[in-house]
Amino acid sequence: MSDEHVESMLKVDEVFQPSKDVIERAWIKDYEKVYKHSIENPETFWGEIAGELEWFEKWKKVLKWEQPWMGGASWFVGAKCNITYNCLDRHVKTWRRNKAAIIWVGEDGSERIITYDELLRNVNRCANMLFEIGVRKGDRVTIYLPRIPEQIIAMLACARLGAVHSVVYSGFSATALQNRIHDAESKVVITADCGYQRGKCVPLKNIVDEAVKDCPSVEKVIVIRRQEPKIKLEPKDIDWHEAMEKASQKFEPAVMDSEDPLFMLYTSGTTGKPKGVIHVHGGYMVGTYITTKWVFDLKDEDIMFCTADPGWITGHSYIVYGPLLNGATIIFAEGAPDFPDPGRWWGIIERYGVNILYTTPTAIRLLMKYGDEWPERYDLSNLRMLGTVGEPINPEAWLWYRKVTGSRLPIMDTWWQTETGMILITPLPCTKLKPGSAARPFPGIEPMIVDRNGNPLPANEGGFLVIKKPWPAMMKTIYKDPERYAKYWQTINGFYIAGDVARQDEDGYFFFMGRADDVIKVSGYRLGTAEIESAIVSHYAVAESACIGKPDALKGEVIKAFVILKQGYKPSDFLLDEIKKQVRKELGPIAIPAEIEFTEWLPKTRSGKIMRRVLKAKELGVEPGDVSTLEE
Ligand code: PRX
């Protein structure tokens, strides 16, 4: 571990009390009272929140909970709804009709402002376009787009029609995209000719062409052509703009059961194959609505800037669904935080008067590296609330984030997952803050730190994080893999196991220490060691590989790969480069190992399983723990 990293994990004992004006403005002023009510009367609590939204038919029961292998949790049983009705129609009926829903900012500074009314009309057009080409309720549609408004329009159009969207992050390679299209058996893929990243065009349509070559389920590819001269289309392709122009602006939202799937999102686990996490209309709607409102203290006058990409869960829940359910104005920015210069985000905050900024610890550390002078150049006085997500935030980055934004703002360090759909552990604006801690559970959530057998652990002892009871935005299942879903609840005592290691201090504050399994967080991106290893092994010269996450001062973790070459091959810079290229081809640039070490031996159990834990301990110079199962 580098000295810099050890330094950055130093404990900070300072506690920050919320200021009076923050508490006065907050939706929730007394956390303890609300939390107590939520735990004692969970169905009343969630039912009241659901009552703030509009339903076509009301639920017969708030929650039906059986063991996962019997059907799991059903929320708002028997209710009928459509999440887009609450994101769009509910606002268009009111004064919010002409309010800005999306302020989009391009890398070159270009701008588009889309009102709620305009967004609804575009979503309807897109739903009609999809219906026209045969997309029906329950069909899957893969969305492979850069951060442009059409990405949000396409997601909402699928939901309006009752189709299931599968957004794939546009940084994934053709092979990774193909695997996801295959598994989902998508009928349609929506893409663009180009996504802009640091001034360069990433040719997304070429990647889609390569991916769909072997995907027989795909009937049509819809293409947004942004460049001039326009790229040529293939017989399977449809031009987005032409089809949208012809489509009607009216489309009645499909009447969905509360438990009908809304979207699937692939995420990495401990095995090589990514899992398609399914979320549904009813519970997900309630969970994302209320967490956005209470955690960020979102009010009608606010502008929220969540810097995530809708290719990941944060973008789904806190760019698209949560803010739109609340009728908020969102900033949606294409490109990197430090291009054309490190003032990019600070400039956006000044220009649009952003009130809420929600980003990742990696992005904060990156901006911190460029120094205080960048935020100092801008007027950030409209900021009222900060948030972070995706990985543990080191106290130094936390303190810097607060300092450069005026030393007065609350920071919501929000812990949650693709599977949880919504924020589960987080401060609220009215709670005191401890740098590096995600604070306490959101109302209605019952987390616990336990040992392997489910026994609760005393304060400050690290253990497995479990959630004792279901919550509304929890995943419904894993697509085509109910056993994998059941495992989340079967491993420890019928609790939900998150896969994280954490401790709780004497005040009940949670401190996250990393993953307990083979999941790595690189710059907050979630990757599985097994999928990286399988990409490496697909190289002709590689016999075996093992990957570990190694602490990194900027990215949180980076990938280190150990590689055994096949007989007849010798380690060389050429092969090193080739293996990196192979990973880029199979998965994408985010999965490229920072370090590759050629080796002739890997620690294995007697049954042949690689013990990554031993490799990691060796790498970090610490004791490997129990090695009794290690082969001779
Ligand atoms: O390890 C935890 C880490 O991110 C994992 C979930 O990753 P993903 O499904 O990609 O979702 C990320 C965005 C919600 C968790 O198991 N994680 C997320 N937020 C935090 C965190 N670790 C520490 N502190 C957080 N605030």
Side-chain angles (χ1 to χ4, degrees):
M1 199 182 296
S2 67
D3 286 351
E4 210 178 334
H5 193 75
V6 175
E7 179 93 344
S8 74
M9 294 313 274
L10 287 178
K11 207 165 163 258
V12 173
D13 285 326
E14 205 172 343
V15 172
F16 295 81
Q17 298 293 343
S19 66
K20 236 163 103 202
D21 56 318
V22 169
I23 301 178
E24 257 162 37
R25 186 189 194 269
W27 289 109
I28 299 301
K29 296 183 178 33
D30 184 346
Y31 167 79
E32 303 299 342
K33 195 171 135 205
V34 177
Y35 187 73
K36 189 163 174 281
H37 165 62
S38 73
I39 300 303
E40 286 171 357
N41 316 288
E43 294 199 31
T44 314
F45 172 75
W46 290 116
E48 277 166 8
I49 292 167
E52 293 181 23
L53 298 164
E54 291 187 37
W55 302 75
F56 303 142
E57 249 176 70
K58 229 186 145 189
W59 52 92
K60 296 185 177 65
K61 193 162 170 26
V62 171
L63 169 66
K64 192 168 117 225
W65 168 235
E66 291 165 332
Q67 291 305 316
W69 41 99
M70 304 280 295
S74 303
W75 282 91
F76 309 104
V77 184
K80 305 282 179 225
C81 61
N82 186 303
I83 197 167
T84 69
Y85 189 86
N86 278 294
C87 288
L88 302 168
D89 310 59
R90 192 165 74 92
H91 308 309
V92 168
K93 286 191 292 190
T94 70
W95 66 269
R96 290 198 194 101
R97 180 189 181 87
N98 295 329
K99 180 180 175 177
I102 304 171
I103 301 176
W104 176 82
V105 197
E107 235 192 19
D108 61 357
S110 49
E111 163 190 285
R112 282 165 69 187
I113 297 178
I114 302 174
T115 64
Y116 271 93
D117 183 50
E118 206 180 340
L119 184 59
L120 174 59
R121 284 187 277 122
N122 277 314
V123 168
N124 283 343
R125 278 204 173 99
C126 183
N128 276 312
M129 161 167 79
L130 291 171
F131 190 83
E132 191 74 12
I133 57 173
V135 178
R136 297 289 180 270
K137 209 173 183 170
D139 286 344
R140 275 82 53 212
V141 173
T142 295
I143 300 173
Y144 185 69
L145 283 173
R147 285 198 295 277
I148 52 176
E150 286 74 10
Q151 191 184 31
I152 299 176
I153 293 168
M155 288 166 77
L156 293 168
C158 290
R160 194 154 181 92
L161 163 71
V164 180
H165 59 71
S166 164
V167 182
V168 177
Y169 173 57
S170 58
F172 275 121
S173 71
T175 314
L177 172 64
Q178 183 179 66
N179 292 338
R180 285 157 177 78
I181 298 173
H182 247 310
D183 189 75
E185 295 165 289
S186 296
K187 214 172 190 175
V188 170
V189 178
I190 305 179
T191 191
D193 52 356
C194 174
Y196 292 101
Q197 187 74 4
R198 296 179 187 283
K200 285 206 200 92
C201 159
V202 183
L204 300 180
K205 174 62 168 45
N206 297 355
I207 298 173
V208 170
D209 284 344
E210 204 184 319
V212 301
K213 254 193 261 163
D214 291 316
C215 291
S217 65
V218 176
E219 293 170 13
K220 292 284 173 208
V221 175
I222 302 176
V223 190
I224 297 155
R225 290 191 284 180
R226 308 172 75 192
Q227 285 190 307
E228 292 293 343
K230 290 196 175 2
I231 60 161
K232 217 178 118 251
L233 297 183
E234 306 296 325
K236 230 185 206 181
D237 301 342
I238 292 173
D239 179 84
W240 167 285
H241 291 110
E242 282 170 20
M244 284 286 276
E245 193 101 326
K246 282 189 230 142
S248 152
Q249 317 184 31
K250 293 211 161 55
F251 192 97
E252 283 304 310
V255 176
M256 305 300 285
D257 190 275
S258 165
E259 288 284 287
D260 278 339
L262 164 65
F263 66 83
M264 57 201 297
L265 185 58
Y266 285 91
T267 191
S268 300
T270 44
T271 66
K273 200 171 155 274
K275 39 193 173 186
V277 169
I278 299 269
H279 283 287
V280 298
H281 273 255
Y284 178 81
M285 171 169 82
V286 173
T288 53
Y289 162 71
I290 200 62
T291 45
T292 314
K293 180 169 167 176
W294 285 359
V295 174
F296 301 107
D297 194 32
L298 190 64
K299 299 274 164 61
D300 252 318
E301 59 271 32
D302 287 331
I303 295 187
M304 176 158 172
F305 181 16
C306 169
T307 65
D309 190 297
W312 306 92
I313 193 68
T314 307
H316 280 64
S317 300
Y318 299 105
I319 292 178
V320 184
Y321 290 110
L324 296 181
L325 284 165
N326 281 279
T329 299
I330 56 166
I331 298 282
F332 193 42
E334 189 177 11
D338 56 349
F339 184 88
D341 64 46
R344 170 118 201 271
W345 284 357
W346 307 122
I348 291 176
I349 293 165
E350 176 184 274
R351 180 171 167 85
Y352 298 100
V354 169
N355 309 106
I356 303 162
L357 174 64
Y358 189 32
T359 190
T360 61
T362 291
I364 297 164
R365 288 190 293 259
L366 174 74
L367 296 174
M368 188 170 154
K369 206 181 74 178
Y370 292 114
D372 298 13
E373 73 218 59
W374 286 98
E376 274 166 10
R377 282 188 206 177
Y378 298 90
D379 175 5
L380 307 176
S381 59
N382 276 308
L383 277 175
R384 198 173 52 65
M385 171 72 60
L386 305 172
T388 83
V389 61
E391 43 172 334
I393 180 162
N394 48 311
E396 277 66 19
W398 194 101
L399 292 168
W400 184 82
Y401 194 23
R402 196 176 135 91
K403 185 189 82 181
V404 296
T405 47
S407 301
R408 63 193 163 85
L409 305 181
I411 302 181
M412 302 296 117
D413 175 355
T414 63
W415 179 91
W416 58 295
Q417 308 176 298
T418 306
E419 295 90 332
T420 71
M422 66 187 237
I423 294 168
L424 293 195
I425 301 179
T426 177
L428 289 184
C430 65
T431 48
K432 67 179 180 193
L433 303 171
K434 300 186 185 190
S437 170
R440 307 272 301 277
F442 189 82
I445 307 302
E446 285 188 74
M448 208 168 45
I449 304 295
V450 298
D451 66 14
R452 214 167 272 284
N453 302 315
N455 304 308
L457 291 174
N460 289 314
E461 207 165 299
F464 299 101
L465 172 77
V466 295
I467 314 289
K468 282 160 66 181
K469 305 246 176 76
W471 60 96
M474 59 192 272
M475 67 173 154
K476 181 68 196 165
T477 188
I478 303 283
Y479 189 60
K480 293 196 286 203
D481 204 347
E483 281 94 37
R484 224 166 154 188
Y485 169 73
K487 270 205 186 132
Y488 283 87
W489 297 90
Q490 280 171 322
T491 313
I492 298 186
N493 260 2
F495 301 145
Y496 171 85
I497 180 162
D500 279 55
V501 181
R503 69 177 171 91
Q504 232 181 329
D505 73 3
E506 44 295 321
D507 290 339
Y509 273 53
F510 285 86
F511 288 81
F512 284 90
M513 297 149 88
R515 296 282 307 192
D517 54 12
D518 294 319
V519 167
I520 308 183
K521 282 287 179 123
V522 182
S523 302
Y525 295 123
R526 176 164 160 180
L527 297 162
T529 47
E531 60 187 327
I532 307 161
E533 288 158 7
S534 103
I536 293 176
V537 172
S538 70
H539 186 275
Y540 62 87
V542 176
E544 264 188 281
S545 166
C547 292
I548 58 165
K550 203 177 152 177
D552 180 81
L554 183 66
K555 297 181 170 178
E557 279 187 295
V558 290
I559 303 157
K560 167 144 190 187
F562 296 85
V563 171
I564 302 182
L565 292 174
K566 281 184 186 154
Q567 278 210 327
Y569 291 97
K570 285 216 177 66
S572 66
D573 286 347
F574 171 75
L575 275 181
L576 208 92
D577 207 43
E578 284 257 293
I579 293 169
K580 287 188 178 175
K581 277 194 195 136
Q582 183 72 10
V583 177
R584 174 187 269 271
K585 181 173 160 278
E586 291 288 311
L587 288 171
I590 52 168
I592 298 174
E595 256 182 77
I596 296 180
E597 184 178 319
F598 294 109
T599 176
E600 288 178 354
W601 172 87
L602 288 171
K604 285 185 189 160
T605 61
R606 279 181 212 104
S607 57
K609 258 178 89 176
I610 296 173
M611 293 180 84
R612 298 186 188 90
R613 173 166 66 79
V614 174
L615 282 172
K616 189 159 178 170
K618 199 168 149 248
E619 188 68 30
L620 304 185
V622 297
E623 284 300 315
D626 180 10
V627 289
S628 57
T629 56
L630 195 65
E631 71 179 350
E632 290 297 304

